[in-house]
Amino acid sequence: MSPKKIILAVTGSIAAYKSAFLTRLLIKEGFEVQVIMTGSAKDFVSPLTFSTLSKRPVHVDVSNESSWNNHVEMGLWADAMIIAPATANTIAKMANGICDNMVTATYLSAKCQVYIAPAMDLDMWKHPATIANLEKLKSYGHHIIPVGNGELASGLVGDGRMAEPEDIVNFISGNSANLPLAGKKALVTAGPTYEKIDPVRFIGNHSSGKMGVAIAMELAKQGATVDLVLGPSKIAVDYPGVHVTRVEAAAEMYEAADKYFKKCDVAVLAAAVADYKPKEQATQKIKKKDESLSITLEKTVDIAASLGKIKKKGQTIIGFALETNDEEANAMEKMKRKNFDMIVLNSLQDKGAGFNHDTNKVTIFTSKGQKLDFELKSKQEVAADVVTCYIELLRSK
Ligand code: PMT
């Protein structure tokens, strides 16, 4: 059951401005919203903004000269408490039971569901202390609303942006039935593959998995249930609606992708799959003996082409093309040969595009002859563009 009475706790981050919009959205969705703030949140947005939007007085101090704001009563009144934005400081206090302001006092008194929408700079987000604090809060049964990736207040680009207000509302109200991809099943391949030479060596590539993981998250955000088949990648994926199968070699990726493809509506193939693998794998470490060593390679299975051959009516395949030259011609040839409905071209000629970066610059081609050029953007924004193109393709069918 979705909550009705909500405490929205705003803490001191530039993302506090988004919480004004979040208040409006929650009210529009029929929630009763009680806003509370930390003292430093007031430096970003005035309590008057929130009291005007929520039509309730906003509480900042536990007490003043003449009255006491009953945080215990408030904690009991609410069906849910959302801390948005939740700074690294407030997260640390919550994880350690520190109670020194209205937000932390109410949090410790709350018996309801707690949702945390973190907002911070990327290095703070990656710090082991923040990771450990969030793990602790998760172990209390609290929900962590995934952060976005993009430009941060510091000017750096990366993870740490507070989720968009619409996504927070969908997250807490389980509103996925209204989303454009509700009821759709998606398969995403991501990351590199490692083809073993011997027990210690392999043939691989520089793919980090970031692009494919961002696509899987965006599809889930738009309501799809996603099977993500992920090659060796350091990314820990923990996102509602995304089920991860970890694989290593192209053959394993094919096996998993083939299994999920049969039931999916859309497959997005962002993995950088090795095209060749050693014909034989040495069972023992190959010793250094001669001046040169030859390894015979054989073709791996082309996952995309195989899925393209068994694609049924109603299924969509979106492929990627990573090129270094003759980009458009190569991408078009791949789209045709592999029976894709769309292809996302990224070129290593473009600075900030392709492997490992947090950004990418793509051109999307459809089999119907459309060509859409995009600027350099965060991979999360690129994922949103790709998924929007898919949604438009569905609507045009
Ligand atoms: O993971 P990141 O570090 O974020 O980097 C992202 C990326 C650069 C890997 C991604 O944006 C990308 O371009 N992925 C496709 C890379 C690639 O292998 O492209 P390709 O042109 O060689 O392959 C064409 C298509 O066939 C791709 O959809 C690929 O997934 C698929 N393919 C290729 C070979 C093979 N054996 N099986 C396949 O399914």
Side-chain angles (χ1 to χ4, degrees), residues 276-294:
Y276 290 90
K277 64 175 182 182
K279 195 163 184 199
E280 270 151 28
Q281 287 174 16
T283 49
Q284 304 294 335
K285 183 178 173 189
I286 299 171
K287 295 282 175 241
K288 186 162 61 173
K289 281 190 305 213
D290 304 325
E291 275 312 300
S292 64
L293 170 73
S294 298

Side-chain angles (χ1 to χ4, degrees), residues 159-171:
D159 287 338
R161 282 167 67 93
M162 186 175 94
E164 293 307 317
E166 293 88 348
D167 298 330
I168 297 178
V169 174
N170 285 330
F171 194 101

Side-chain angles (χ1 to χ4, degrees), residues 16-139:
Y17 80 90
K18 288 193 197 172
S19 296
F21 189 54
L22 175 60
T23 309
R24 258 189 60 189
L25 278 185
L26 288 167
I27 302 267
K28 219 169 122 199
E29 289 285 318
F31 295 102
E32 268 184 76
V33 183
Q34 173 63 60
V35 178
I36 59 174
M37 300 173 82
T38 59
S40 54
K42 281 198 309 182
D43 296 337
F44 293 93
V45 183
S46 122
L48 185 62
T49 307
F50 287 108
S51 61
T52 310
L53 291 168
S54 66
K55 302 192 174 53
R56 279 172 173 268
V58 169
H59 302 306
V60 181
D61 300 309
V62 178
S63 64
N64 57 35
E65 300 96 49
S66 56
S67 64
W68 185 60
N69 285 318
N70 196 335
H71 56 87
V72 178
E73 210 169 79
M74 233 184 321
L76 296 176
W77 166 83
D79 298 319
M81 177 169 183
I82 313 174
I83 299 95
T87 58
N89 184 38
T90 294
I91 288 169
K93 287 181 188 178
M94 289 166 68
N96 292 287
I98 295 170
C99 173
D100 62 352
N101 61 35
M102 190 62 195
V103 168
T104 48
T106 308
Y107 163 68
L108 283 183
S109 309
K111 291 216 166 91
C112 56
Q113 290 282 329
V114 176
Y115 296 86
I116 299 161
M120 64 196 75
D121 212 52
L122 80 167
D123 292 317
M124 297 166 87
W125 175 246
K126 280 194 212 145
H127 196 283
T130 306
I131 294 169
N133 287 333
L134 286 168
E135 282 305 315
K136 206 165 171 189
L137 293 172
K138 265 195 226 166
S139 75

Side-chain angles (χ1 to χ4, degrees), residues 206-211 269-275 300-304 319-323 334 338 340 346 354-356 360 379:
H206 297 293
S207 171
S208 60
K210 287 177 193 170
M211 189 66 252
L269 308 174
V273 188
D275 289 323
T300 56
V301 56
D302 189 320
I303 303 168
F320 269 73
L322 178 65
E323 304 296 338
K334 279 178 190 168
K338 303 194 186 200
F340 294 157
N346 41 190
F355 288 136
N356 213 357
N360 205 357
K379 282 190 171 159

Side-chain angles (χ1 to χ4, degrees), residues 188-194 207-210 213 227-239 242-257 259-260:
V188 178
T189 66
T193 63
Y194 287 176
S207 171
S208 60
K210 287 177 193 170
V213 168
D227 276 300
L228 169 65
V229 181
L230 182 59
S233 159
K234 291 200 182 100
I235 305 176
V237 187
D238 179 13
Y239 197 87
V242 179
H243 166 258
V244 187
T245 304
R246 296 223 175 227
V247 295
E248 193 164 293
E252 290 166 42
M253 186 173 273
Y254 169 67
E255 204 180 306
K259 176 172 126 194
Y260 295 122

Side-chain angles (χ1 to χ4, degrees), residues 196-224:
K196 272 192 185 138
I197 297 172
D198 69 11
V200 297
R201 303 175 181 96
F202 59 82
I203 295 173
N205 60 63
H206 297 293
S207 171
S208 60
K210 287 177 193 170
M211 189 66 252
V213 168
I215 292 202
M217 284 167 38
E218 184 60 31
L219 286 162
K221 214 185 213 182
Q222 298 305 330

